[in-house]
């Protein structure tokens, strides 16, 4: 059930947004074994002049927020961080050292799935 919110601040925008979404989805699937139908991602393109990174306005950056059901090991999370960072850097104009990935665990009773029934009630 990984949910990704991807924000890319890039002036050039010479990258293919669909390829980026597919690459990030594949990175999530490969790194933590998430089932493809459970992965959701949204992409927002941001004007770099509306961002500040390390005190510099206009720097090309990316921020990826990933929400996951809790319970994955530190090793799996480390693999996820590395894979998503690489996927974003390889498919945008943003260098890897300007990509940030933030993971957030969600308890199974705090997530509504099919018809608003909690993941816990659905046995997840």
């Amino acid at each position: 059930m990984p949910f990704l919110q991807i924000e890319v601040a890039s002036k050039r925008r010479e990258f293919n947004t669909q390829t980026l979404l597919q690459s990030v989805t594949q990175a999530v699937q490969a790194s933590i074994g998430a089932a493809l139908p459970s992965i959701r991602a949204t992409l927002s393109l941001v004007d770099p002049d509306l961002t500040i990174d390390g005190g510099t306005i206009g720097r090309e950056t990316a921020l990826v927020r990933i929400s996951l059901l809790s319970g994955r090991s530190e090793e799996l999370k480390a693999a996820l961080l590395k894979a998503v960072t690489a996927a974003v850097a390889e498919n945008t104009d943003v260098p890897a050292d300007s990509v940030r990935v933030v993971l957030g665990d969600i308890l199974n009773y705090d997530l509504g799935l099919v018809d608003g029934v909690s993941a816990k009630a659905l046995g997840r």
Side-chain angles (χ1 to χ4, degrees):
M1 115 329 89
F3 301 129
L4 293 84
Q5 296 173 306
I6 306 163
E7 296 176 7
V8 177
S10 173
K11 291 182 182 179
R12 293 183 291 265
R13 293 191 183 155
E14 295 172 2
F15 57 90
N16 185 309
T17 55
Q18 292 180 350
T19 301
L20 171 62
L21 287 167
Q22 291 171 336
S23 180
V24 170
T25 298
Q26 291 167 354
V28 171
Q29 187 179 24
S31 63
I32 63 171
L36 186 59
S38 73
I39 302 170
R40 308 277 192 277
T42 58
L43 172 62
S44 300
L45 302 177
V46 180
D47 181 343
D49 292 331
L50 300 176
T51 66
I52 188 166
D53 178 31
T56 302
I57 293 176
R59 187 177 290 170
E60 295 181 338
T61 64
L63 173 62
V64 182
R65 293 179 194 90
I66 304 175
S67 300
L68 303 160
L69 277 174
S70 61
R72 289 189 173 83
S73 70
E74 225 177 288
E75 293 78 19
L76 280 179
K77 289 180 179 182
L80 176 61
L81 293 170
K82 187 172 185 162
V84 169
T85 298
V88 171
E90 290 168 7
N91 289 282
T92 67
D93 301 323
V94 178
D97 63 355
S98 291
V99 176
R100 297 294 181 266
V101 180
V102 180
L103 301 179
D105 283 333
I106 299 175
L107 299 172
N108 61 355
Y109 53 80
D110 286 339
L111 174 66
L113 295 175
V114 181
D115 294 326
V117 177
S118 76
K120 182 177 182 177
L122 293 171
R124 297 185 186 170

